[in-house]
Amino acid sequence: MVTHADEPSRPERVSPDARPLESRSSDDPHREATLRAVQHVQLSPLSIQASSLVRSIDALSRIFWISLAGTFLTLFFVALAQLDTNANSEAIGLGEYQVPKSILPLGALLFALFVFWLTANRMRMLAYVLCSSRLPEDMVDEIFRLNPPVLNVFDDDNIKQWSAFNGVGVLIINWAVFFGNAIALTLYAVVQQGATTAEFDFLELGLFVLGALGILAYGYLTVFPPLREILSRLHDVQFHLGWQRKLGGLALVVATVMIQNLDQLSDPTGSDFDLIGPAIANAIDGETLFVRGVEVQLFGIDAMELDQECLTESGARYPCGREAAIALQNMVQNDDIVCLSLFAVNSSRVVGICALHEEASGLPESDQAFLERYGDFSLSRLVVERGHALSVGVGESLFREEQNQAQTLRVGIWQGSFQPPASWRSRRE
């Protein structure tokens, strides 16, 4: 189109989207945010992806530190539980605070579940960032080389299943020791403090074991798949945990439990005669104690069987066998026990004389010295005196006075009627 020279030129129309970014309407918040980002930060897609990788690796390092700290914390509580001041108590003294032993196993399981969940979450995030990035291979390798996680779980030597001290191996060792300590804490809360079959409900122990196995399975199924994906992306190899690592982890769990309970499974007295203890004892039933891995049946008595029921004066049934076990547990609850083994019933059960140990007086040096010191204060005598057992065999002459007194005062089984334990057993057979 031709215009006359004297005709004023029209301004050229400019599309709103073609205008410079600075002249666009300021009422668009997204454009304003974009303007500020461009003006202040110059970011490339590659630098953003590299930063995401570094942050993901750093997050995993923090989680690994948390899991290591949790293992040391369980070691700390197990050590406190073994102290003499805490061994016979239901709680662990921590300064002016008392931590109940019963909550420690549950706390350990919840901690393990949380850390497994967090680790799996961060592993999946790292796998996603790594597999979706457009970074060159050499740049990815350089990032992992210059900024490895604490345990180096992404190094190529983690493929070696026999290497115990690579990153994955150390991770398994850490969790094996953790769960071993958690089980040891369970035993301190259950076996050492509370009768194994009297006060403690085996259903709770079964639930704890199932919970621990479930959490281990959860950790295995959620942590290792993304780890396998990351190692495959980095080194182009197929990662397998392997039976060697699994078997080694299980063996370490068992070893940790055994080491933490050596005081219950060994007898350090070194005496020349058959002395068991002094040690923490645990009532199995009304006439049997568990002391240092040995079941000691109290000499000269026959207590009500654990499942046995008796009748009160009014004819009401009550669990007299369970009450006998609880009564024996209460007797040994707060003191160490020392026993003199008389003869063995089998490889793990003996018949003996047991009594509360007097720590200040030291240990007796012979069988005769033991009988002179503890004969009149044996647990057999106390159980009969409180009406939870009958005297049998030699015990009929030794504890006749105590049994007559219990019958006169109508305590324990003498408050009503009962069936002698021997007759109750024969009818059940």
Side-chain angles (χ1 to χ4, degrees):
M1 181 176 66
V2 181
T3 59
H4 296 285
D6 57 348
E7 182 179 358
S9 60
R10 298 178 182 179
E12 183 179 356
R13 296 186 62 183
V14 181
S15 172
D17 293 335
R19 288 179 296 169
L21 187 62
E22 292 84 350
S23 63
R24 294 181 186 178
S25 174
S26 61
D27 58 353
D28 188 339
H30 298 290
R31 292 178 176 176
E32 289 296 324
T34 304
L35 176 61
R36 287 194 296 270
V38 171
Q39 289 176 339
H40 295 89
V41 180
Q42 295 296 329
L43 293 177
S44 69
L46 293 184
S47 63
I48 294 176
Q49 293 173 8
S51 177
S52 298
L53 275 180
V54 172
R55 290 188 178 186
S56 299
I57 296 173
D58 288 342
L60 273 176
S61 290
R62 288 192 291 270
I63 296 172
F64 291 155
W65 278 120
I66 291 173
S67 65
L68 292 170
T71 300
F72 282 106
L73 192 61
T74 58
L75 283 168
F76 173 71
F77 276 109
V78 169
L80 287 180
Q82 291 176 333
L83 295 177
D84 293 338
T85 55
N86 297 321
N88 295 319
S89 173
E90 295 182 356
I92 294 177
L94 200 60
E96 60 181 1
Y97 301 101
Q98 295 291 317
V99 181
K101 291 181 180 179
S102 58
I103 71 170
L104 292 177
L106 180 60
L109 289 187
L110 292 177
F111 174 82
L113 180 61
F114 170 74
V115 174
F116 278 152
W117 172 80
L118 203 57
T119 303
N121 181 276
R122 293 296 183 263
M123 282 280 192
R124 286 193 298 266
M125 181 180 70
L126 178 58
Y128 173 79
V129 172
L130 181 62
C131 296
S132 63
S133 71
R134 299 178 181 178
L135 296 173
E137 294 290 338
D138 55 349
M139 180 180 294
V140 172
D141 294 338
E142 192 72 7
I143 290 175
F144 276 87
R145 187 179 69 84
L146 296 177
N147 190 52
V150 172
L151 299 182
N152 293 316
V153 294
F154 304 124
D155 289 355
D156 55 357
D157 66 339
N158 290 285
I159 308 301
K160 304 174 183 177
Q161 299 179 9
W162 288 103
S163 180
F165 298 105
N166 54 29
V168 174
V170 173
L171 194 63
I172 293 175
I173 290 173
N174 173 68
W175 283 109
V177 174
F178 175 86
F179 276 96
N181 288 324
I183 295 173
L185 288 173
T186 305
L187 294 177
Y188 278 112
V190 171
V191 176
Q192 294 189 0
Q193 190 69 32
T196 56
T197 57
E199 293 183 324
F200 180 71
D201 188 354
F202 274 104
L203 177 61
E204 297 179 14
L205 180 59
L207 291 176
F208 175 84
V209 172
L210 289 177
L213 293 177
I215 291 174
L216 278 173
Y218 170 79
Y220 174 77
L221 294 174
T222 57
V223 172
F224 287 103
L227 175 61
R228 187 179 298 112
E229 185 178 356
I230 294 170
L231 289 174
S232 176
R233 169 68 171 79
L234 290 176
H235 307 294
D236 196 23
V237 292
Q238 189 66 28
F239 170 79
H240 295 285
L241 188 60
W243 64 267
Q244 300 93 334
R245 288 171 171 147
K246 296 177 183 177
L247 187 61
L250 179 61
L252 187 56
V253 170
V254 175
T256 303
V257 175
M258 296 289 290
I259 291 173
Q260 300 294 11
N261 288 274
L262 282 178
D263 61 329
Q264 284 291 85
L265 302 176
S266 61
D267 186 6
T269 56
S271 59
D272 296 330
F273 62 105
D274 295 325
L275 197 65
I276 303 175
I280 297 171
N282 197 66
I284 296 176
D285 54 35
E287 63 184 40
T288 311
L289 293 173
F290 181 80
V291 189
R292 294 204 181 280
V294 179
E295 293 182 9
V296 183
Q297 180 180 339
L298 298 181
F299 170 75
I301 66 172
D302 193 7
M304 301 296 108
E305 294 298 324
L306 196 61
D307 297 331
Q308 188 172 352
E309 292 185 340
C310 302
L311 299 178
T312 64
E313 184 178 3
S314 62
R317 291 182 176 274
Y318 72 99
C320 55
R322 191 172 179 82
E323 285 193 3
I326 293 175
L328 180 58
Q329 180 63 33
N330 290 336
M331 294 178 195
V332 302
Q333 189 84 356
N334 299 315
D335 297 282
D336 284 345
I337 302 302
V338 61
C339 300
L340 174 63
S341 176
L342 301 179
F343 58 90
V345 177
N346 52 47
S347 59
S348 61
R349 187 180 181 93
V350 301
V351 175
I353 302 173
C354 298
L356 303 179
H357 174 57
E358 299 174 359
E359 186 175 355
S361 59
L363 292 173
E365 298 179 354
S366 64
D367 294 4
Q368 185 63 34
F370 182 92
L371 294 175
E372 290 177 357
R373 180 184 301 180
Y374 297 115
D376 293 336
F377 307 99
S378 68
L379 292 174
S380 299
R381 191 181 299 274
L382 291 176
V383 172
V384 172
E385 183 180 24
R386 298 180 185 182
H388 297 294
L390 300 177
S391 58
V392 296
V394 180
E396 291 183 359
S397 60
L398 293 176
F399 313 130
R400 181 183 295 111
E401 182 178 345
E402 286 76 14
Q403 182 164 307
N404 292 336
Q405 179 181 350
Q407 187 173 5
T408 301
L409 297 176
R410 303 184 68 82
V411 296
I413 57 177
W414 302 103
Q415 63 181 293
S417 60
F418 62 90
Q419 190 176 11
S423 301
W424 189 87
R425 289 192 297 268
S426 64
R427 293 188 62 180
R428 299 266 295 194
E429 294 175 355

